[in-house]
Amino acid sequence: MSVRRFDVLVAGGGPVGLSAAIRARLSGLTVALVEPRSGPIDKACGEGLMPGAIDALAAIGVSPPGMPIAGFRYTDGRRTVSHRLTRAPGRGVRRLALSELLEARADEVGVERLVGRVEDIEQDDRTVHAAGLEARWMLACDGLHSGIRRTLGLARPSTAPRRFGIRQHFAVAPWTDLVEVHWSAGIEAYVTPVAPDVVGIGILGPPRTDFRAAIESLPELAGRLDGAAPASSVRGAGPLRQRTSARSAGRVLLVGDASGYVDALTGEGMRVGLAQAEAAVDAVLADSAEGYGREWAHRSRDFRVITGLMVAAATSPLRGAIVPTASALPAAFGAVIERLAR
Ligand SMILES: Cc1cc2nc3c(=O)[nH]c(=O)nc-3n(C[C@H](O)[C@H](O)[C@H](O)COP(=O)(O)OP(=O)(O)OC[C@H]3O[C@@H](n4cnc5c(N)ncnc54)[C@H](O)[C@@H]3O)c2cc1C
């Protein structure tokens, strides 16, 4: 049987893989996307799309439904600081809704979606072979725990404190148009409005953080959720920090969480991943991986530097000073939010 050939093989049908596949297809390339799960895919996520992510999705013809996010509010129960985004709002979007729309758009533009898993990879200087297919390039978009990253020897150990994320939805009307971040001594709880009658709660913290106990440790949030029925099951992800030694090996490019991840603290993984997807497709069109590492570094710099510094503070004795400092310096808080939410 002859092997099917494509310009691009995308491994992973999360938001980054699907967006990269659609973008590549819209650029005239033939694209196969291999994803082990079928149907809309859920994932532990805060579900806040920053304005830059909304723009990147609009550029490939996708406008997901959701609730406007006007900005961010940090509170530690005693002090509060908030900032309203100046350029455009973000949007709280259920992962299932985003996945469904991206899958439909991928089908519409002619991405060949296949159920399977990319494992063994063989490549020479012209082609990549994997999952029974041949392609000129592979985009590895297989997420936080990327097996492809490991297979290619691009994973690097992290010495950062291990942090995990857990999320659940609750049937309650959003009480704010801001993403609220509630800080306790050990965890942060995110509230994202995602529908007129649903909020998503994401908890970030150390290993074995208990979702219920985390909510109970935050009286203001516990009061808001009192009596609200869960609208989804609890899902977790982590450890969040993932490092890479390089962003490509031969004709395989790492994209999205697979290429390295800092933390969900600043809620911009999708914006950064979608920007990397654009750069990866440009590299394929140029038929060269040479510029990709540089573009990847450029497009993820704020995430790596600013989010990295914030996580370092959040996991140090300075943790308790974060909200008081932000509330004492609201202009600086606003500038950081604007920078990350671009
Ligand atoms: C708790 C938490 C809260 C977050 N909050 C936000 C937020 O508010 N806003 C935001 O922008 N980002 C947020 N993020 C980050 C965001 O979820 C990720 O950055 C985003 O999902 C990355 O997309 P991706 O497509 O790279 O990876 P994923 O969404 O993980 O998709 C990877 C896909 O690859 C598939 N796969 C795995 N192995 C293989 C294989 N071998 N072959 C083929 N396919 C494979 C998987 O099944 C999966 O579908 C949060 C993350 C966490 C953990």
Side-chain angles (χ1 to χ4, degrees):
M1 205 174 71
S2 67
V3 175
R4 298 185 67 200
R5 295 189 174 82
F6 295 86
D7 292 319
V8 189
L9 166 56
V10 177
V16 173
L18 281 163
S19 300
I22 296 166
R23 179 168 279 274
R25 189 71 201 101
L26 290 174
S27 306
L29 301 168
T30 55
V31 185
L33 182 146
V34 176
E35 158 65 47
R37 294 183 278 174
S38 52
I41 297 169
D42 206 356
K43 175 188 179 292
C45 185
E47 301 181 324
L49 287 177
M50 294 301 112
I54 295 171
D55 293 347
L57 290 169
I60 55 168
V62 173
S63 178
M67 297 293 285
I69 293 175
F72 285 80
R73 171 177 179 250
Y74 276 23
T75 178
D76 63 5
R78 288 191 302 150
R79 292 184 190 79
T80 290
V81 58
S82 55
H83 176 78
R84 291 190 164 259
L85 297 169
T86 53
R87 180 175 76 79
R91 201 175 299 162
V93 176
R94 284 293 290 264
R95 285 293 290 230
L96 284 169
L98 179 61
S99 176
E100 197 170 348
L101 268 189
L102 283 167
E103 288 183 352
R105 181 69 175 142
D107 293 344
E108 186 178 273
V109 301
V111 172
E112 184 95 19
R113 292 199 295 124
L114 304 164
V115 176
R117 182 174 282 281
V118 170
E119 277 162 340
D120 298 329
I121 300 168
E122 282 175 29
Q123 57 171 322
D124 54 34
D125 56 2
R126 296 219 316 267
T127 52
V128 185
H129 287 261
L133 306 170
E134 179 183 302
R136 291 197 297 116
W137 291 91
M138 179 192 289
L139 304 184
C141 309
D142 56 335
L144 202 61
H145 300 293
S146 170
I148 299 175
R149 177 176 70 214
R150 271 197 311 279
T151 300
L152 297 176
L154 299 178
R156 224 170 120 190
S158 167
T159 52
R162 284 153 61 88
R163 280 168 46 93
F164 288 73
I166 344 171
R167 76 90 172 102
Q168 187 170 30
H169 297 91
F170 290 86
V172 57
W175 53 89
T176 169
D177 59 358
L178 303 173
V179 168
E180 285 187 351
V181 186
H182 296 254
W183 292 73
S184 77
I187 57 104
E188 304 101 60
Y190 273 76
V191 183
T192 310
V194 291
D197 52 357
V198 180
V199 296
I201 308 290
I203 308 280
L204 302 176
R208 289 176 293 283
T209 295
D210 178 76
F211 192 89
R212 264 285 139 208
I215 303 282
E216 296 307 327
S217 72
L218 297 161
E220 183 189 334
L221 182 57
R224 294 281 189 191
L225 297 178
D226 191 27
S232 67
S233 51
V234 176
R235 261 179 191 274
L240 300 175
R241 187 76 170 103
Q242 301 291 336
R243 304 179 75 206
T244 46
S245 52
R247 266 50 66 187
S248 63
R251 301 185 80 81
V252 183
L253 310 182
L254 301 182
V255 194
D257 285 7
S259 67
Y261 190 71
V262 181
D263 199 275
L265 178 58
T266 48
E268 60 190 322
M270 286 187 275
R271 173 182 74 75
V272 173
L274 297 178
Q276 294 167 355
E278 287 175 13
V281 173
D282 287 348
V284 171
L285 290 170
D287 203 27
S288 166
E290 225 177 270
Y292 178 62
R294 214 173 29 250
E295 267 307 305
W296 180 94
H298 173 65
R299 294 180 193 222
S300 54
R301 181 165 297 124
D302 288 344
F303 181 45
R304 288 179 294 115
V305 175
I306 302 178
T307 307
L309 285 171
M310 285 181 66
V311 175
T315 51
S316 79
L318 292 176
R319 179 181 177 86
I322 292 177
V323 179
T325 305
S327 66
L329 301 167
F333 175 73
V336 170
I337 296 289
E338 289 291 336
R339 182 91 202 180
L340 289 169
R342 278 175 304 151

